[in-house]
Amino acid sequence: MALNSFRAFLSIFSLLFTIVAAEDPYRFFTWNVTFGDIYPLGVRQQGILINGQFPGPDIHSVTNDNLIINVYNSLTEPFLLSWSGVQQRRNSYEDGVYGTTCPIPPGRNFTYILQVKDQIGSFYYFPSLDFHKAAGGFGGLRILSRPKIPVPFPDPAGDYTVLIGDWYKANHTTLKAILDRGKKLHFPDGILINGRGPNGVSFTVEQACQDYYIVVSSRFTSQVLTTTGILRYSNSAGPVSGPPPGGPTVQIDWSLNQARSIRTNLTASGPRPNPQGSYHYGMINTSRTIRLASSAGQVNGKQRYAVNSVSYVPGDTPLKVADFFKIGGVFRVGSISNNPTGGGIYLDTSVMGADFRAFVEIVFENPEDIIQSWHIDGYSFFVVGMDGGLWTANSRNQYNLRDAVARCTTQVYPKSWTAIYVALDNVGMWNVRSEFWARQYLGQQFYLRVYSPVESIRDEFPIPKNALLCGKAAGRRTRPL
């Protein structure tokens, strides 16, 4: 008993010393994940709640904060949370997708240890397993700049989280069953703003004469979905009136021009992305071009989606965990091509290898009639170009090599392409995926293994001491506590 007490004292002392000695603050959260009734479109559904909330609680943080988030899974099925836009510097184990992290079993908990290193902005978290995202469990995550770093605008009087997405009235289990049978989902039933349907949410601000609509519409769809919120002024003379305005729902050229017009203000002060020690991303020579084309089709009579003809299927062990323990037979680096193959769709656990510190060009190609949305975990990239038709080497002549916007998700318009530059300065196993969740679930994703042969803590943290182990890694040990 005395020995155990002594060990406990050493563990607590070590933790306290780490917290006290570190310059960056720690923020602690305890979340309980449960099922509960929700009514976002007026129909009762089984939702996923965090501490009884739908959407989940906001996370407020400051650049370089350490976030300690203890998640209790009170569901009847495994659960994972991922942190969209948080780069998880040197630490893809905490990314919270199945390729990197073992799920939290029912009745168990797991503590995520994240550092929002060198980032500012508005991001969100969401449940990444199965089709949980269609039931809730998501919320906002804000990273503010440090108080001593000036920003090029006055301090805002208020700060609102706005979460927008399409929604189904069916439970997530019903939607998952449809996809598992190899069928397509029907058109969504509505659009939510902060978990509410039309006119269900409002934002109150000051100084003006009346209220206004906030309008959200679907784009490039045969049926146009629209929802509204209210921008309400505290001294408003009257409520909103009349029909909400329509949107440019089908004009691809208009949308391309608008997207290309969004640029970084280089004359403003404030923190910016800084890949490879230079803001002048357009002056860095790319070492590799990766072309990624989406496709849809049937495999064994079931609907599948693919990248460069490969439709992703999960391995029996998270890829990053298998990589750490050097477990064979889970995945093969190079199982997806750098370029579209033009062949039929086939199934594989697709992993693409990449060198640490490479500066690469990635072209997302969309030969389909729908808009695509692509996301890369672990990184922020520069959107340097987009246009209709086919991408060729000559398309580089129209790239914006001066003031492109850095982001982690980009759109690709129907029958169009989008090109990005990205510095691969973050070692790990990173998910590249469609943000159209049914397509992601049925295979439109893969993992980018950014590898350093040095295997040094300078480049990547070791597996967390508290990491859950599953699949072929079950029964192994991480590191001594």
Side-chain angles (χ1 to χ4, degrees):
M1 181 63 71
L3 180 60
N4 288 339
S5 299
F6 179 69
R7 286 174 177 167
F9 171 78
L10 284 181
S11 298
I12 294 171
F13 176 81
S14 175
L15 177 62
L16 288 175
F17 178 80
T18 301
I19 295 174
V20 171
E23 293 183 358
D24 300 313
Y26 280 69
R27 298 177 188 265
F28 295 87
F29 305 85
T30 300
W31 288 355
N32 185 30
V33 181
T34 61
F35 286 127
D37 290 342
I38 58 174
Y39 301 81
L41 292 177
V43 176
R44 187 175 71 176
Q45 295 176 251
Q46 183 188 62
I48 292 178
L49 314 180
I50 297 180
N51 291 352
Q53 300 179 44
F54 169 78
D58 277 354
I59 293 177
H60 298 267
S61 62
V62 176
T63 299
N64 290 356
D65 278 357
N66 296 281
L67 308 181
I68 313 301
I69 307 169
N70 190 3
V71 178
Y72 287 85
N73 179 14
S74 297
L75 306 180
T76 55
E77 51 198 86
F79 184 77
L80 267 180
L81 282 174
S82 189
W83 318 91
S84 184
V86 177
Q87 293 178 11
Q88 311 287 2
R89 305 296 299 178
R90 298 187 292 166
N91 200 11
S92 63
Y93 296 103
E94 302 282 2
D95 199 34
V97 289
Y98 183 67
T100 63
T101 313
C102 285
I104 308 171
R108 295 271 304 276
N109 73 299
F110 176 71
T111 301
Y112 292 90
I113 303 173
L114 320 175
Q115 186 179 28
V116 289
K117 182 72 173 171
D118 298 331
Q119 288 190 261
I120 59 171
S122 299
F123 307 98
Y124 70 99
Y125 60 86
F126 68 95
S128 62
L129 280 187
D130 294 334
F131 223 62
H132 288 161
K133 195 176 182 182
F138 50 79
L141 194 164
R142 273 179 260 175
I143 308 173
L144 304 179
S145 62
R146 288 179 166 181
K148 293 183 180 180
I149 299 178
V151 292
F153 48 80
D155 288 338
D159 195 357
Y160 294 99
T161 295
V162 182
L163 300 168
I164 299 173
D166 55 22
W167 197 257
Y168 291 89
K169 294 179 180 178
N171 285 338
H172 73 282
T173 51
T174 301
L175 300 174
K176 178 180 179 296
I178 293 171
L179 295 174
D180 289 342
R181 292 197 301 269
K183 306 298 182 183
K184 294 181 180 181
L185 296 182
H186 63 78
F187 199 71
D189 296 304
I191 296 176
L192 304 186
I193 302 177
N194 288 359
R196 305 294 184 267
N199 294 338
V201 64
S202 64
F203 306 93
T204 301
V205 297
E206 296 179 356
Q207 291 185 333
C209 56
Q210 69 177 62
D211 296 346
Y212 294 88
Y213 281 120
I214 299 171
V215 184
V216 182
S217 300
S218 61
R219 305 290 302 279
F220 311 109
T221 55
S222 56
Q223 175 186 347
V224 177
L225 289 176
T226 298
T227 194
T228 53
I230 305 297
L231 183 64
R232 174 163 293 131
Y233 289 91
S234 60
N235 60 343
S236 172
V240 293
S241 61
T249 57
V250 295
Q251 296 99 323
I252 295 177
D253 289 341
W254 187 95
S255 299
L256 282 165
N257 289 332
Q258 182 198 46
R260 288 187 291 238
S261 71
I262 301 173
R263 298 180 176 233
T264 299
N265 183 355
L266 298 180
T267 65
S269 63
R272 297 192 186 96
N274 189 18
Q276 295 193 340
S278 172
Y279 295 125
H280 305 292
Y281 66 91
M283 300 176 64
I284 305 172
N285 293 326
T286 57
S287 58
R288 179 181 177 186
T289 296
I290 301 170
R291 294 170 52 211
L292 303 174
S294 62
S295 59
Q298 299 270 317
V299 177
N300 299 324
K302 292 187 174 183
Q303 181 66 44
R304 298 293 300 185
Y305 300 95
V307 186
N308 290 357
S309 300
V310 187
S311 185
Y312 182 85
V313 289
D316 58 7
T317 307
L319 310 182
K320 187 59 187 171
V321 175
D323 211 11
F324 176 81
F325 288 112
K326 296 179 169 49
I327 300 172
V330 177
F331 69 92
R332 178 177 59 86
V333 176
S335 48
I336 180 173
S337 170
N338 283 347
N339 297 288
T341 65
I345 294 176
Y346 63 95
L347 306 178
D348 204 345
T349 305
S350 39
V351 177
M352 182 182 293
D355 294 331
F356 179 43
R357 294 201 176 102
F359 192 77
V360 303
E361 171 189 45
I362 299 177
V363 183
F364 297 105
E365 302 179 4
N366 181 14
E368 302 180 70
D369 291 324
I370 66 168
I371 191 170
Q372 302 272 359
S373 179
W374 283 94
H375 177 88
I376 302 180
D377 279 355
Y379 287 97
S380 178
F381 50 74
F382 291 99
V383 181
V384 296
M386 57 177 65
D387 205 353
L390 299 176
W391 181 89
T392 68
N394 291 332
S395 300
R396 297 188 179 110
N397 295 331
Q398 61 176 284
Y399 281 4
N400 173 10
L401 300 181
R402 176 174 169 76
D403 56 1
V405 174
R407 52 200 300 189
C408 58
T409 304
T410 187
Q411 72 273 41
V412 190
Y413 292 104
K415 304 286 186 181
S416 301
W417 56 266
T418 294
I420 67 171
Y421 281 178
V422 58
L424 299 181
D425 56 358
N426 196 12
V427 173
M429 189 78 71
W430 303 109
N431 193 218
V432 182
R433 63 176 179 264
S434 168
E435 288 287 61
F436 184 170
W437 214 242
R439 296 179 73 103
Q440 177 273 154
Y441 183 75
L442 292 182
Q444 192 175 322
Q445 61 169 309
F446 69 95
Y447 281 83
L448 185 68
R449 181 181 183 256
V450 180
Y451 177 71
S452 170
V454 178
E455 296 188 1
S456 164
I457 194 172
R458 179 199 65 186
D459 299 333
E460 184 179 29
F461 294 136
I463 191 169
K465 295 177 182 179
N466 69 329
L468 300 173
L469 299 180
C470 57
K472 293 179 179 176
R476 298 182 183 235
R477 296 186 63 185
T478 54
R479 295 181 287 145
L481 292 174

